[in-house]
Amino acid sequence: MVNVLDIKVLRDLWSMRLQVLSIALLVAAGVAVFVMSLSNYLALVGAMEAHYRNERFADVFASITRAPLVIVDRLREIDGVGIVEPRVAKAVRVIREDTNLPISGRVISLPASGQPLLNRLHLVQGRWPDPLHPEEIIVNAAYAEARAMRTGDTIDVVLNGRLQDFRVVGSALSPEFVFATRAAVPLPDDRNFVVLWASEDAVASAFDMQGAFNDVLMTLAPNASVPHVLEEVDLLLAPYGGTGAYDRSDQPSHRFLKDELAEQETLSMVMPSVFFGIAAFLLNVVIGRMVEAQRGQIASLKALGFRNLTIALHYFKLVSAIALLGTAIGLALGRWFAVGVVGAYRAFFRFPLLEAQLEPWLLVVAMLVSVAAANLAAATAVYRIAMLAPAEAMRPGTPPALRTFGWLQTIGSKQIPLQYVMAARTILGRPLRTLLTTVGIALAIPLVLFGLYWFDAIDHMIDVSFGRIERGDAFITFTEPVSADALYELQAIPGVLKAELQRVVPIRLRAGHRTYRTSVTGLESGSELKIPRDSALQPIAVLSDGIMLSRTIARQLDLDLGDSVTIEVLEGNRTVRDAAVRKISDDILGASVTMERTALNRLMREGDVGNVATLRIDPRQSELLWSSIRLMPKVEGSSVKALWLALFNETIGGMVLVGALILAGFGMLIAIGVVYNSARIALQERAWELASLRIVGLTRREVSAVIFGELAVELIVAVPAGLLIGWYLIELIASARASESFQIPAVIDPSSYAIAALLVIGAAVSSFIAIRRRIDTLDLVAVLKARD
Amino acid sequence: MQVREREATNPATQPQAPVFVARGLTKVYGSGDAQVVALKDVNLDIRQGEFIVLLGPSGSGKSTLLNILGGLDAPTSGTATWRDHELTGAGDDELTTYRREHVGFVFQFYNLIPSLTVEENVRLVAQIASNPMRPAEALELVGLTHRAGHFPSQLSGGEQQRVAVARAIVKRPDILLCDEPTGALDVDTGRLVLAAIAKVNAELSTTTAVITHNSAIAGMADRVLRLSGGRIVKEEPNPKRIRAEDVTW
């Protein structure tokens, strides 16, 4: 036979269905955000690992000018080195008829066997080049997509100064170009950077590299000592123009990916976990009050002889059912959103297989946390009531605080309508409950703010990085350093409003045992197109001596102002020189090393030269301008800020904003859940009292003032407190999560505060309206019959 | 507490127009098998200042009748008017105004507001009435001046019920409706409450209707209406009213 108490569980669930639903939605929001975000983040990490594993991403990388292939055997002999794969990799230019923009690229040789041993290709489309047809090539999928290239299309490539036609036979993903970034361009620009894989013969003959290689990939044996291997490789390759071996942590694509994942970790793991934690806390508050409102029933059950444990179990069933319902809704919603968000990820993270998947352990955690939070609250409430004598607990309503709060009278209680005195006494007389409800409402605000914050952070990041620091409209990279005369030539082109020459040199910074591989940018003194800034966004002048480091690099190398750092130049004369850290800049995007250009030229023992030009251009003349620039000698590639900013908005922007909108939406759902339940339970606890007021002749409006007065005060305290908590949590998360490439600024626009506050107030108002309808329909006669 | 007898001035004996007129009042709860007929075709006139006792067992329809008279419930059919107020068919706002301006209620379970003190419970009604007496005056009338600053839960049942009486009369109601006012009280305490009600009826000439299943109280009334099965089965004028202090049960 069915236990009667179990029937009561079902009936209670049904009779409180709106309340049950709102609590379940609160749980659902927390679970959905948690499960979706973590699953997606784990899917990203999993996809990266699978890509690296399946395509055998190398552990160590080295470039040289030219070395005979016999050296490869000696590399293999180094203790700790596993597979060694030599190849030829060279910078190239691509010419397209549909654009005047110079497109730079990199051509990489494929062994005669097709698939290389390391950094293998994952064919997305087409087939492998036929070794008998040296004109056949594979392009990277990102470029193929950005430029809508298909197999069979031809591509004009300038190899070693000679224009050559190639035919695209396929497009591929490679673990070393998940993000195809270049020095001097802060973000990947898939439209203007291409990776080409061609047969060994074609590349070697074009660059006169038969029997030689200029790039080598290696794997490490298990337990190999990375510094030892790098040192040995450097020693061996130095005579061949080695620019220094490096491991994955310095590989540009991996570094960018790692920082991007760190960013995602904040958005997808830290915030959702905090979010879910807050939701669980709110569930606890709401369930606690809900069970407490049943004190009469608990007391009656006790009076009838039910044991505390039996009563507690009864409530466990009730609240577990609510928590499980919420979890189930949350999982369904989470799964649904996960598919959408992963779709947005795919445009940005180029992995062969990136699928949304629900991690089973996440489901278990989500379920356990919600059920535990609900049951803990129920247990606490049941225990509190069970500790009272049944007779005491059976008294109607919740006993009010029996304190008059004298000042309530003296500040003119004669004038204050008594319904407000009632509200004030409830607030003051039960400070803990008031605090919990207030904190509950307050915590809904950070949840909404978490979402809105990302919009602001990205806006700020773009504004600072591309509005205030990188002020040029376009970059041109040169195949080799050009003299300052080239600058005059550029400035003479119609449409070029201003041009500045930069010298960008790959370097390794060394401070004690710490090293950091990057490039140094030599800026003209008084540069206007790139202005390094400090954390207060004040410009930092580039000094004619010493070096300026980004704060993240300074931190990694444990350097401070005035410290000395060794600069090892990784090209040309391989100069090694010590320099003093004279300034520290605060970059939001990327981590820069800056010197004055002439100082860098001196360091390089070269004349007044540069290899990157930054331009301010007149957009109306851009077509003419680019057609002139394309004809200039030594131009390697270009990048137009407006174009990759648009790309950025489509990819990173789209991806982050989808997540942000979901966070904000669920935050609001939780806000409604908390406010509605607070009001609903307040009404439940006082229905008898309110009906009594109605009977003696108070109007609905006057009676509503009791509940609304209470909630209004809680809301007035909660909203500013919530804004403050939101600000603090975001500050905390942002500062704890600053990564190397991105430092998400803890910037929240006033409008976001306003929106978060308005959304929560809106949630409160709609809850008020729902509750007001219940007050209007209070059954006065029923109240006289039953006291509870 | 002194309660004067008013045999000579008993309004029930005067040829006065009724203030309450109910015709064909019927109240049905539920429908189908679950249908309960609480009132069946009840006709009733109550005159100004009259003290009426409604007697009957549980389920006889007393409370339903009282609730309709007090504007707390609406009949399924029939009409009820108080002076020129049509109670049947009136909207919630009209009924609220009616209760607010004319009716004082006393219930078996007092229905005091636990978060307000004794004085505040009384003042609560005074603040919405158009011509109230001072709350202190009402409390004095029920002999609770010394308990003004206490909360209801700090009072005995009888004291709480007297607060309810004070709260009901502070507005100088035209009609005082009491539903089992002594139902939860012992004899001595019950008498105190009855005395307070009788005093109000006498001194303020408030039309008073008291529901009870305690026939001993009937002796205090000008007229006793016996209900059974939703009908008024007997109407007994009581020319010789007794004092509350003399009621025994």
Side-chain angles (χ1 to χ4, degrees), chain B residues 11 29 42 45 121 128 151:
Chain B
Y29 291 108
V42 169
D45 290 346
N121 262 285
I128 58 167
F151 284 100

Side-chain angles (χ1 to χ4, degrees), chain B:
Chain B
M1 188 184 307
Q2 295 291 310
V3 177
R4 287 176 292 119
E5 291 189 29
R6 293 186 297 129
E7 282 165 62
T9 57
N10 191 338
T13 60
Q14 310 293 316
Q16 224 173 346
V19 283
F20 259 122
V21 176
R23 291 290 174 265
L25 279 187
T26 298
K27 178 72 183 182
V28 181
Y29 291 108
S31 58
D33 289 345
Q35 201 174 63
V36 175
V37 181
L39 279 184
K40 270 184 223 160
D41 195 25
V42 169
N43 297 314
L44 174 68
D45 290 346
I46 302 175
R47 293 186 177 79
Q48 170 66 42
E50 200 177 4
F51 191 125
I52 284 192
V53 166
L54 295 152
L55 269 182
S58 288
S60 59
K62 319 180 289 282
S63 295
T64 306
L65 179 59
L66 197 80
N67 288 342
I68 293 172
L69 296 182
L72 289 175
D73 206 352
T76 312
S77 64
T79 58
T81 47
W82 181 81
R83 294 205 164 129
D84 52 351
H85 292 258
E86 186 66 54
L87 299 182
T88 41
D92 182 79
D93 288 344
E94 274 175 86
L95 288 178
T96 301
T97 311
Y98 165 65
R99 291 198 301 271
R100 189 176 181 128
E101 291 178 356
H102 306 293
V103 188
F105 282 109
V106 178
F107 297 105
Q108 180 176 2
F109 297 117
Y110 333 130
N111 287 61
L112 298 178
I113 306 302
S115 56
L116 294 179
T117 63
V118 164
E119 188 269 343
E120 286 165 343
N121 262 285
V122 178
R123 179 149 54 85
L124 176 73
V125 174
Q127 82 181 6
I128 58 167
S130 51
N131 180 30
M133 59 178 85
R134 285 182 303 108
E137 209 179 313
L139 283 175
E140 199 187 327
L141 216 52
V142 296
L144 279 179
T145 309
H146 61 294
R147 298 294 242 165
H150 290 84
F151 284 100
S153 61
Q154 295 166 326
L155 306 183
S156 71
E159 287 174 318
Q160 289 191 50
Q161 193 60 301
R162 281 190 283 155
V163 177
V165 173
R167 187 180 64 176
I169 60 166
V170 71
K171 68 167 84 159
R172 301 180 201 277
D174 295 301
I175 176 156
L176 181 61
L177 300 175
C178 312
D179 191 347
E180 299 280 10
T182 58
L185 306 176
D186 61 65
V187 181
D188 289 339
T189 322
R191 276 196 203 110
L192 285 175
V193 171
L194 289 173
I197 293 169
K199 185 175 176 185
V200 170
N201 172 251
E203 294 186 356
L204 304 175
S205 192
T206 307
T207 309
T208 306
V210 175
I211 280 186
T212 181
H213 57 262
N214 182 351
S215 52
I217 296 172
M220 292 174 64
D222 291 318
R223 188 155 53 115
V224 179
L225 303 175
R226 288 186 187 272
L227 276 86
S228 178
R231 293 175 190 277
I232 297 177
V233 290
K234 199 168 179 190
E235 197 179 325
E236 303 164 349
N238 178 24
K240 199 137 178 80
R241 284 179 60 179
I242 59 168
R243 302 189 312 164
E245 290 86 336
D246 299 331
V247 174
T248 49
W249 68 84

Side-chain angles (χ1 to χ4, degrees), chain A residues 59-89:
Chain A
D59 297 314
V60 172
F61 311 80
S63 293
I64 48 190
T65 314
R66 181 195 164 96
L69 284 171
V70 288
I71 297 298
V72 171
D73 286 336
R74 295 184 49 198
L75 284 169
R76 281 196 192 104
E77 285 161 15
I78 294 172
D79 187 28
V81 168
I83 302 168
V84 178
E85 177 155 72
R87 60 185 192 175
V88 178

Side-chain angles (χ1 to χ4, degrees), chain A residues 522-540:
Chain A
L523 289 184
E524 290 182 8
S525 65
S527 163
E528 286 176 25
L529 297 184
K530 176 158 185 174
I531 304 178
R533 290 177 188 267
D534 62 17
S535 56
L537 299 182
Q538 290 308 305
I540 308 174

